[in-house]
Amino acid sequence: MNFLSDTERIRYSRQIVLPDIGEEGQLKLKRARILIAGMGGLGTFSSLLLAEIGVGFLRIVDRDIVEHTNLHRTPLYTTKDLNRAKVEVAAERLKRLNPELVVEPFACHLDASNIEELMEDIDIVIDALDNFETRRIINRESYKRKIPLLFAGVGARSGNLAIFNLKEDSLCLDCLYHGILDDELETCDIIGIHPALLPIITGIQIHEAIEVIIKGSSILDGSLLFIDLNSLNFDQIPIHKNPICPVCSTENYIQDFESINDYRVLDICGGDNYMFVPGKKKIFELEKIYNDLKSLYSISTKGKLAVTIDFTNNIKITLFKGGNVLIRGSSSPENAQQIWDTLKTKISG
Ligand SMILES: [Zn+2]
């Protein structure tokens, strides 16, 4: 594992020549050990890229079989694979694509009983899941072990990306989406999923995974990238540790709150960004909020986890499904409070 073979030098020559990769970077990729949680649309595209680029080890986990409804967005599966375990088919295809790759398939439901085993000796976790119950399990474990976690979520024509655990005091997935229950989210059989979204989201996700492997950093760190194919808007939203996060916060401010309507402004993000967090569990009905606001403001982006509006030319407000509100462009916390108080009167969700 300490050198590249002549064949590898040729195979990867077009990326070795890229600044910041080189032979040293390629060797780091060869040594990297990655867990991909979920082998649906996201996982098949991301594993394909990782196999092509020369990552040495992939552990892939999925409990499902290949079904007809998967085939429009899963490049590793064909009609001949129907009813076979996804991870088994994926492992075969990935090995065929790159025989040097070591693939460990796990056909199981990822839960608290097996997460420690699945995370063992892993350098990076790729979240390619479709539910928050399992995401919370990998979020807790990767936060505990300080393993970089690349979150991706998709629905219809929009998606989100973020990276956690690059720094000691990193925020975590629960800082953003604490309290969301899967029953409260529309699933892809209801809202659908545009297959063209997946190579875009996973392309960026894997680009950042490679940055982390080679440089130990990512331009995505500290932000949530929101991609909306309807508007072709790529919005990089600053995100910060939530002081009432049950996973990564050491303080507990939650007792200060009296009701679900109480919001605390976090001194945030530096500059002119202010985050409001709810005191108790609060879930926004984003579809309802979108309907309330669409005639009043221009909608910048709309997804199943967040809606961003242009409050004025200079002020953008993002409402996250999990109850957080981010105001960008405000002149002071007091001004942000006024803006939030104004907006609150216009939404019913
Ligand atoms: Zn957290």
Side-chain angles (χ1 to χ4, degrees):
M1 280 294 209
N2 290 324
F3 60 89
L4 297 174
S5 67
D6 290 342
T7 315
E8 286 170 329
R9 279 198 184 88
I10 296 166
R11 181 174 182 126
Y12 304 117
S13 58
R14 300 298 190 271
Q15 64 196 43
I16 286 175
V17 78
L18 287 171
D20 301 333
I21 294 189
E23 285 209 10
E24 203 182 319
Q26 192 63 47
L27 258 178
K28 287 183 181 173
L29 293 172
K30 187 176 174 177
R31 292 193 201 109
R33 298 172 61 87
I34 298 183
L35 170 68
I36 302 180
M39 286 300 289
L42 288 167
T44 47
F45 273 102
S46 57
S47 62
L48 197 59
L49 277 170
L50 290 167
E52 283 176 335
I53 206 159
V55 159
F57 176 93
L58 289 182
R59 185 173 292 150
I60 56 176
V61 191
D62 198 293
R63 65 184 175 187
D64 285 330
I65 55 168
V66 178
E67 294 177 84
H68 264 120
T69 53
N70 305 139
L71 296 177
H72 78 129
R73 64 180 190 284
T74 47
L76 293 179
Y77 312 140
T78 70
T79 1
K80 285 189 179 158
D81 304 316
L82 290 170
N83 300 314
R84 294 184 63 201
K86 283 180 178 171
V87 289
E88 193 181 354
V89 180
E92 285 173 13
R93 295 285 137 73
L94 294 168
K95 285 291 286 180
R96 203 178 301 162
L97 186 71
N98 191 342
E100 301 300 316
L101 172 70
V102 177
V103 188
E104 267 187 13
F106 279 77
C108 64
H109 174 61
L110 191 160
D111 62 21
S113 72
N114 54 25
I115 186 67
E116 291 195 12
E117 183 192 355
L118 292 170
M119 285 257 194
E120 203 54 50
D121 298 324
I122 287 298
D123 303 316
I124 288 190
V125 179
I126 302 292
D127 168 5
L129 294 161
D130 60 0
N131 71 85
F132 274 90
E133 187 188 340
T134 317
R135 281 196 177 110
R136 287 211 173 83
I137 294 167
I138 62 168
N139 178 54
R140 275 178 192 272
E141 191 65 21
S142 56
Y143 182 78
K144 195 170 87 186
R145 295 176 185 236
K146 299 294 176 212
I147 298 174
L149 167 66
L150 278 130
F151 157 73
V154 288
R157 287 184 171 83
S158 70
N160 305 272
L161 277 173
I163 186 163
F164 306 108
N165 307 332
L166 285 192
K167 298 189 182 84
E168 190 57 34
D169 63 343
S170 168
L171 79 160
C172 78
L173 187 71
D174 266 274
C175 288
L176 291 180
Y177 297 125
H178 173 58
I180 293 183
L181 298 175
D182 290 308
D183 293 348
E184 294 162 340
L185 290 172
E186 298 123 323
T187 50
C188 67
D189 55 332
I190 307 286
I191 58 170
I193 181 150
H194 199 298
L197 181 64
L198 295 162
I200 298 169
I201 290 273
T202 52
I204 300 170
Q205 185 185 37
I206 298 311
H207 181 266
E208 294 316 304
I210 290 161
E211 292 287 282
V212 171
I213 292 165
I214 294 178
K215 299 182 196 163
S217 63
S218 163
I219 198 169
L220 193 57
D221 194 19
S223 59
L224 181 77
L225 181 64
F226 189 86
I227 296 172
D228 187 352
L229 290 187
N230 286 311
S231 58
L232 280 185
N233 197 337
F234 283 50
D235 197 8
Q236 208 168 340
I237 302 170
I239 50 175
H240 290 263
K241 207 174 179 78
N242 186 339
I244 58 170
C245 176
V247 176
C248 71
S249 176
T250 50
E251 298 176 71
N252 188 359
Y253 290 94
I254 205 155
Q255 289 121 341
D256 296 344
F257 290 90
E258 291 296 314
S259 77
I260 57 164
N261 292 320
D262 278 347
Y263 267 77
R264 175 180 293 272
V265 60
L266 299 184
D267 97 2
I268 282 254
C269 319
D272 51 6
N273 299 318
Y274 297 91
M275 176 78 90
F276 289 77
V277 294
K280 292 181 182 168
K281 183 183 168 182
K282 169 86 179 167
I283 299 293
F284 281 132
E285 298 296 330
L286 293 181
E287 197 60 39
K288 218 188 275 180
I289 288 176
Y290 169 74
N291 286 325
D292 290 340
L293 298 180
K294 69 181 177 191
S295 58
L296 302 172
Y297 305 101
S298 139
I299 305 290
S300 175
T301 53
K302 172 182 176 282
K304 68 173 181 173
L305 293 177
V307 167
T308 299
I309 63 160
D310 295 321
F311 187 73
T312 65
N313 279 347
N314 301 319
I315 294 173
K316 278 184 188 291
I317 306 177
T318 303
L319 297 113
F320 293 87
K321 179 85 182 165
N324 292 358
V325 179
L326 175 71
I327 297 181
R328 286 178 281 167
S330 170
S331 56
S332 66
E334 293 75 25
N335 176 247
Q337 183 71 55
Q338 280 169 5
I339 292 167
W340 174 223
D341 288 343
T342 307
L343 192 72
K344 255 196 283 192
T345 62
K346 295 175 181 169
I347 57 178
S348 50

